[in-house]
Amino acid sequence: MPTLKQIRRRLTSVKNTQKITRAMKLVAAAKLRRAQENMLRAQPYANRIREVIWDLSEHTSRDVHPLLQVREEKKALMLVVTSDRGMCGAFNSNINRRAERYLRTKEGDHEELELALLGRKGRDYFRRRRYPVFKEYMEVLSSPSFDRVTEIGAEVTARFLDGGHDAVYVVYNEFKSAISQKVVVERLLPIVPEHDEAEVAAEAHLQGIEFGYEPSREAILNAVLPLYVNVRLYFAVLESLAAEMGARMTAMESATKNAGELLSRLTLQYNKARQASITKEMLEIVSGAEAMR
Amino acid sequence: MKLDVVTQEGARVKGLEVDEVILPGIVGEMGILPGHKAMVMGLGIGPMTLRGPSGEDRFALSGGFVEVLGDEIRVLSETCERACDIDVERARRRLDDATATLQASHPGEGEAYNVLLASVRKAQTRLDVAKAGPGR
């Protein structure tokens, strides 16, 4: 049975921890909102690029740009997007485990698969397990900027173009909602234009309109494809960030709740101990008085 | 005509009424007046000039494309900065830095050299646009 003083010390410490987790939850909530706003702002840009690429590539051959060419995937690169900080539940371990499974089971059927790690948590995980790492990028999620992502995109694209990698994949947490994330593996390069039904319908009114292309379809495609790589990577980063904040919010929420439960248990224990010590003292006094008679 | 400009940081211009837009195409400047035929044009690095009921305005663009359809002009560019938002002094310093870096490298460096060249052109455009101001 712990002494009163010990319980009191525990109580204060748990209370302080609860204050911290509650503050972290609030911070994560605020950052989540910002991350969502960023996603919303970048959305029209990404959509427009996708529309135009789809439209242009439909009428041109795939040989027109090396970024569209599908090669036999011997050497591939996998970008793993993790956070720099912990305290966000299973966010990082989910993604690391998924990436490792991909590596071990040779899911993609590549002869060689290299890793590029965005974020400290992924780096720590794969370094410990001694996997070959192509490149590490730190502090991307903590301050996501388009310029930084563009640099990474340019580097990855350059490697793809000079034949260093035949394909590039991104593993990241898709932001479903504030309380749920989903780990996804997406192919970044080569670009395979995709179009969903809603967009096809939205463009129906463009049928029959004769567009002029200045200077040519190919030239526009060449200029826009690299932007597409960057914007997709940027989106993966923004989604990861939102997902990270969502995961942290949930984790800190339950930590705060657990601390609350612990506090009520400790308080009960404390009161019992206090009562016990009072009873003990009373007994001593009474029995002392009894003995004196 | 209605003009929209989007960048990765969101919409820069939304539904602005204009009479004429001059855009930096890949192969040269192109002016768009009402009644232009439907077109998609690749954009380079350069200034965009707008003339409309509220006078003239200038922006620095880099890359992307423009789609003209009916009386709608939709521009997508990596960056779009309005003349009055660019600080001339800082633009000048950026240009000096970029030029110095470019001079320290060689054309033989391939892609890296092109990147530097583009950054000088961007800096030059920003400075030109900032100096020219919004015009009338």
Side-chain angles (χ1 to χ4, degrees), chain B residues 50-65:
Chain B
L50 314 179
R51 297 208 177 95
S54 48
E56 216 174 85
D57 206 351
R58 267 181 251 276
F59 296 80
L61 295 187
S62 61
F65 58 87

Side-chain angles (χ1 to χ4, degrees), chain A residues 48 205-206 211, chain B residues 1-4 15-16 18 21 32-39 66-75:
Chain A
R48 293 283 293 131
H205 70 282
L206 296 180
F211 271 92
Chain B
M1 298 186 291
K2 273 195 167 50
L3 176 76
D4 281 300
L16 184 73
V18 290
V21 184
I32 295 164
L33 290 165
H36 200 287
K37 78 163 188 169
M39 170 189 81
V66 59
E67 190 184 67
V68 185
L69 182 63
D71 65 345
E72 276 178 32
I73 305 175
R74 299 198 284 173
V75 173

Side-chain angles (χ1 to χ4, degrees), chain A residues 43-287:
Chain A
Q43 193 83 58
Y45 181 79
N47 289 349
R48 293 283 293 131
I49 291 189
R50 210 177 46 209
E51 276 167 32
V52 143
I53 287 185
W54 187 77
D55 177 45
L56 291 171
S57 57
E58 202 187 17
H59 304 283
T60 42
S61 111
R62 298 193 68 79
D63 306 332
V64 74
H65 199 280
L67 289 181
L68 290 169
Q69 271 158 34
V70 183
R71 298 191 288 243
E72 199 189 335
E73 293 182 14
K74 284 185 184 150
K75 279 178 290 177
L77 178 73
M78 189 156 72
L79 275 158
V80 185
V81 188
T82 54
S83 73
D84 289 308
R85 262 167 243 152
M87 298 281 209
C88 42
F91 177 83
N92 289 309
S93 54
N94 278 348
I95 201 146
N96 287 333
R97 272 210 309 270
R98 179 76 183 87
E100 199 184 2
R101 198 172 79 219
Y102 197 97
L103 280 169
R104 264 221 295 264
T105 60
K106 299 215 183 314
E107 215 173 286
D109 223 13
H110 314 290
E111 276 169 26
E112 219 185 302
L113 188 62
E114 276 186 308
L115 289 168
L117 305 169
L118 270 87
R120 202 156 273 139
K121 290 287 157 181
R123 181 194 65 182
D124 294 350
Y125 185 91
F126 287 102
R127 255 198 198 164
R128 246 193 328 269
R129 285 163 182 78
R130 300 185 193 289
Y131 279 101
V133 175
F134 165 62
K135 199 84 201 221
E136 293 166 355
Y137 307 96
M138 295 301 119
E139 308 273 335
V140 182
L141 247 55
S142 2
S143 49
S145 78
F146 198 85
D147 289 345
R148 187 76 202 284
V149 173
T150 307
E151 271 170 42
I152 299 173
E155 208 167 324
V156 171
T157 310
R159 273 285 279 179
F160 175 79
L161 290 177
D162 70 20
H165 295 123
D166 300 313
V168 181
Y169 291 84
V170 202
V171 191
Y172 67 99
N173 271 291
E174 196 181 28
F175 178 78
K176 286 276 190 195
S177 71
I179 48 161
S180 92
Q181 302 86 37
K182 195 179 137 220
V183 178
V184 287
V185 183
E186 265 183 21
R187 183 158 67 179
L188 189 68
L189 285 170
I191 298 168
V192 180
E194 283 162 16
H195 219 55
D196 56 51
E197 309 257 319
E199 281 170 18
V200 175
E203 285 193 353
H205 70 282
L206 296 180
Q207 288 295 320
I209 295 176
E210 194 66 33
F211 271 92
Y213 294 91
E214 287 293 332
S216 66
R217 277 206 169 95
E218 289 76 16
I220 301 173
L221 203 55
N222 283 346
V224 178
L225 283 173
L227 298 184
Y228 186 61
V229 178
N230 294 337
V231 83
R232 284 204 38 208
L233 200 54
Y234 187 52
F235 245 88
V237 167
L238 287 184
E239 286 224 29
S240 296
L241 181 67
E244 180 198 340
M245 291 310 155
R248 178 164 298 130
M249 221 174 84
T250 331
M252 288 302 113
E253 163 108 50
S254 63
T256 310
K257 219 176 84 206
N258 288 345
E261 274 167 29
L262 195 57
L263 275 181
S264 67
R265 268 218 309 281
L266 282 172
T267 315
L268 187 68
Q269 207 183 11
Y270 177 75
N271 287 340
K272 272 188 184 159
R274 192 174 58 100
Q275 195 61 57
S277 80
I278 291 169
T279 318
K280 205 176 100 203
E281 271 172 43
M282 294 270 278
L283 272 175
E284 275 163 10
I285 294 165
V286 172
S287 54

